Amino acid sequence: MDDPVMLITDVGRSYERAALAAQLGVNARLDPATGVVHAEPLRYVLNRNLKENIDEWRTSPDALGLHTAGPTAADVRSLLARLLTLKTDAVTEVALALATLADGNADNQVLIATAGAIPPLVGLVKNGMHGAKEAAALALRNLAVNADNAVSIAAAGAIPPLVELAQNGTDDAK
């Protein structure tokens, strides 16, 4: 589920927005779960709690297929492959996963950098959509705690696009 919504008249059920919109397009008064026909067209709202939980789960080790005892080089290479081949939303999630793995973990910082993550993350900061740029910048920030990684990040050309993002990006990016 990517975009969970709930009917205003319903409690406890969530639907994928596109599927519910399609169903309501056929009969806007018919509750798809109960079969009840309402007097007024049904309306729905974003299920924010479920959306946040889904987004959090997507960057969890389980969802990303990582070993629970800690990521291996193969895990990081798998994430990098996904980073290079996925659509924007998924790329953002993978960059956030790398940022999370690197956050405060010196071993993971070295593992991620030696697996070759720095150039694609710099490329994402340069050419990604806003959310992906921000996620890649966060990953680079977390990797740069390691002095060798900081040198590699600068050598990969990250400073100009990071400065650009800080100056002209969204408020979250600044």
Side-chain angles (χ1 to χ4, degrees):
M1 185 173 286
D2 292 316
D3 193 8
V5 296
M6 53 192 173
L7 290 171
I8 292 174
T9 61
D10 195 10
V11 176
R13 287 188 193 93
S14 291
Y15 306 86
E16 179 65 37
R17 182 185 303 267
L20 182 61
Q23 177 64 37
L24 295 178
V26 173
N27 186 342
R29 292 181 172 90
L30 177 65
D31 185 315
T34 65
V36 173
V37 177
H38 295 265
E40 298 293 324
L42 298 173
R43 297 182 323 187
Y44 52 90
V45 296
L46 176 65
N47 185 335
R48 292 184 196 283
N49 289 336
L50 182 56
K51 175 75 171 151
E52 289 170 7
N53 287 333
I54 290 169
D55 291 345
E56 183 178 321
W57 177 82
R58 282 194 171 140
T59 58
S60 72
D62 289 338
L64 295 168
L66 302 178
H67 295 88
T68 55
T72 65
D75 290 332
V76 174
R77 283 192 299 275
S78 174
L79 284 174
L80 290 177
R82 292 175 66 189
L83 185 69
L84 297 171
T85 60
L86 295 173
K87 63 181 183 175
T88 302
D89 291 344
V91 167
T92 301
E93 292 167 7
V94 171
L96 284 172
L98 290 170
T100 300
L101 291 172
D103 188 22
N105 188 314
D107 291 338
N108 287 350
Q109 292 162 3
V110 171
L111 179 64
I112 292 167
T114 57
I118 291 173
L121 288 169
V122 171
L124 199 52
V125 172
K126 288 179 181 177
N127 302 312
M129 300 300 288
H130 283 296
K133 284 184 178 190
E134 294 164 5
L138 178 61
L140 291 171
R141 183 195 76 172
N142 293 347
L143 290 170
V145 171
N146 175 290
D148 291 336
N149 289 351
V151 171
S152 297
I153 290 166
I159 294 174
L162 288 170
V163 169
E164 169 70 20
L165 184 62
Q167 291 175 339
N168 300 316
T170 65
D171 288 340
D172 287 339
K174 296 176 184 179

